[in-house]
Amino acid sequence: MVLRDGTHATHQVLNQPPPLGGHDLFATDAALAEAVRREGADWAVGELSALGRLCGSEEVREWGRQANDNPPVLHTHDRYGNRIDRVDFHPAWHRLMEMSVSEGVHCSPWADPRPGAHVARGAKMMLVSQADGGHGCPISMTYSAVPALAAAPDLAAEWGPRFMSRHYDPAFAPAPGKAGALCGMAMTEKQGGSDVRTNTTTATPIGGDEYEITGHKWFCSAPMCDAFLVLAQAPAGLSCYLLPRWRPDGTLNAMHLQRLKDKLGNHSNASSEVEFYGAWARLVGEEGRGVRTIIEMVNHTRLDCVLGSAAGMRTGVAEAIHHTSHRSAFGKLLAGQPLMRNVLADLALESEAATVTAMRLARAYDRGDDPAEGAFRRLATAVSKYWVCKRGPVHAAEALECLGGNGFVEESGMPRLFRDSPLNSIWEGSGNVICLDVLRALVKAPHTLDAFLDEVRLASGADARLDRFTRSVTDELAQPDGLEARARRVVERMALALQASLVVRHSPPAVSDAFCASRLDGDWGRAFGTLPADTDVESIVDRARPAAG
C-alpha cells in the first residue's frame, strides 16, 4: 500500500529514538560538571560548556564517524620511488584535531599553568574523546611529552613552544616552519613489549647530545607527528631521545614506516611499525636513565587512559538511557521497566565513579608541588588506571546490549565504542604491569600508601560499609605472603575504596548508597543490572540522563 506522501506502509519508521545530537555534553553530565567546580576549575565552566555543545553536535559526531570509516593510509614512497613515509587522513580527522588543538587539550596546563588547569584540561579530554577517541592519541602524547622534556632544557626551549601552540598544522614539513607541532612515541619492541629494558634499538653518539638511532619499533604511536620520544640502548644503557621527522638540514630523517597496524579499534588513528636507519636524535635527560626520564610521560598518559575510559562509559550510559527512553517493548518504554532501569542505574553508577575518580586524579596533577598530593598521585594513578580501564569493555558491552540489535549495527556507533574500549587497559601498561607497579610503589615508596589511605579516610564515619571495607583493605595489604599472586584482587579493592570514598563525599545519597551496597557490601550479582531491589534507580538514571535538544 502506498501512502499519501509516496512512501510504502511497510517502510514506516516506528518506535525508534530520535538522534542523540545537538546537546551539551558538559551541562548534561552532572557528575563531570560538579567535579570540575569542586576540583578547582570553576573558571573553565564557560569554555567547557561551549566545547560540550560543540562535541555534542551532529556535525562533530559525524566527524567521528567519518574519521573511523575512512582510516589513515600510509604512503611509503612517492611516484618516483623516493621514500616519503607519509600518513594521509580523511578531512574529518583534521577537523577533530583542529578542534582539540585549538582548545589546548594537548597543552593548556603547560601553556597556562593556573590552579585547576589539569582538571579543566581533563574535562576537555573527556568531551573530545566522546566525539572520537582515536584522535586523542597524538593529543595525549603531546600533552605528556612536555614534562618529559624538562630533563633537557635546551630541547624544552626549542620544542616546548611548538608543542604548546594552539594552531593545528598538518603540513608534512620541518617543524621550524610550522605553526605548531605534535609529539608521538616509539618505545615498544616485538621481543619485549612492556619490558622496555630488553630493547635492542641502539643509539650511537655522534657528538654532544646528538645520536644516531638504529633499530625496529613494534609500536610507534601517532607516526604522523613532528617528533617522537624514543628509547634506545646507548653505551651507558637504555636512554631517552627526541627524534624529529626531519633533520636540521631539512631532509627527511631516516625513520621508515613499515606498515600501519590493523587494530581491533582506534581506527581513526594511525599506529605503525617503524625502522630507524641511523636516524638523527637528541638525548633527553641522562644517558642510561631512559626509564626514569620517560616516567613523567607515562604517568600523564596513564591519567589520560583513565579519562578516556571514563569518557567511554559516559558515552555508553548516555546512548543507553536515550535509546531506552524512546523505545517501547511489551507495551511500555524500556526505560520504565524495572529490570532495564536496574541495568541503566548500574551503568550510571560505574560511569559516575569513573568520572569522579578521573577528576580527583587530575587535581593531584595540578598540585604536583604538594608532597602529599604527589604521593597520592603516584599510587592513585596506577590504581585508577588498572580498575577504571578494566571496567571499560564490560561497561561498553552492557550499554550496547541496552540497544539490542540496533546496538550491534555499526550505524549506532556502539560497535566502535566497544572496539575502542580495551585500548586504555593495554596502553601504557596492561593489567598485570600496572598491578606490579602498584606493588613496587608500596615497597619503594610506602608513604604513597599513607597518602592514598588518607584520601580514602576523608569519608570516615560517613558510611559504615565503607569503614569496614577500608579496614579490610588495610588488613589485606598488611599480609605480604603471596601478595603478587593476589595483586589484581588487592588493587581492585583499593580502587573501589577510593571510588566509594569519593562518591560518599561528593555524589547524591542515591548514588553513594547504591555504590556502597553493591560494590562494597556484596549486595550485587556478577553482571550489571543486579543492584539491590530497594535501590533508588529512578534518581540515579535521571541524574545521568542526557538531554537531547
Side-chain angles (χ1 to χ4, degrees), residues 339-359:
L339 190 52
M340 178 59 77
R341 290 168 64 188
N342 195 310
V343 173
L344 296 174
D346 215 350
L347 291 171
L349 286 179
E350 198 73 36
S351 175
E352 177 151 351
T355 296
V356 297
T357 301
M359 289 292 100

Side-chain angles (χ1 to χ4, degrees), residues 44 61-62 178 207 216 242 254-255 280 296 320 327 348 393 411 451 482:
R61 286 166 64 92
E62 181 65 7
K178 295 179 64 173
H216 177 267
L242 182 76
M255 175 181 173
W280 181 82
E296 276 303 301
R327 176 84 163 177
E411 292 162 309

Side-chain angles (χ1 to χ4, degrees), residues 43-121:
W43 51 266
V45 167
E47 56 189 86
L48 285 168
S49 192
L51 182 60
R53 290 191 296 272
L54 180 60
C55 291
S57 68
E58 286 287 1
E59 181 182 21
V60 173
R61 286 166 64 92
E62 181 65 7
W63 293 350
R65 184 195 67 78
Q66 291 177 347
N68 281 272
D69 287 351
N70 300 275
V73 177
L74 170 63
H75 300 279
T76 57
H77 297 76
D78 66 14
R79 60 181 292 191
Y80 305 106
N82 301 304
R83 284 209 74 109
I84 54 173
D85 298 289
R86 190 187 72 230
V87 183
D88 288 345
F89 291 82
H90 188 271
W93 165 272
H94 295 300
R95 298 296 299 274
L96 290 163
M97 289 296 297
E98 184 178 26
M99 174 183 71
S100 291
V101 170
S102 67
E103 288 287 338
V105 188
H106 69 305
C107 72
S108 54
W110 319 123
D112 184 15
R114 69 173 90 176
H118 285 279
V119 172
R121 182 263 168 192

Side-chain angles (χ1 to χ4, degrees), residues 154-173:
D154 289 347
L155 282 174
E158 178 184 351
W159 284 90
R162 297 169 185 165
F163 292 152
M164 286 186 268
S165 169
R166 290 200 180 197
H167 296 283
Y168 172 60
D169 189 341
F172 188 56

Side-chain angles (χ1 to χ4, degrees), residues 187-192 195-203 213-217 231-234 238 275:
M187 300 185 191
T188 305
E189 298 185 7
K190 52 184 175 287
Q191 75 282 350
D195 187 5
V196 295
R197 296 186 186 278
T198 64
N199 283 6
T200 60
T201 296
T202 60
I213 309 296
T214 301
H216 177 267
K217 294 292 182 179
L231 290 178
Q233 299 286 357
L238 191 67
E275 197 85 30

Side-chain angles (χ1 to χ4, degrees), residues 235-260:
L238 191 67
S239 306
C240 179
Y241 300 89
L242 182 76
L243 190 154
R245 285 302 308 270
W246 301 79
R247 298 172 63 91
D249 63 5
T251 60
L252 269 173
N253 210 351
M255 175 181 173
H256 296 171
L257 305 182
Q258 301 301 323
R259 62 171 174 168
L260 297 186

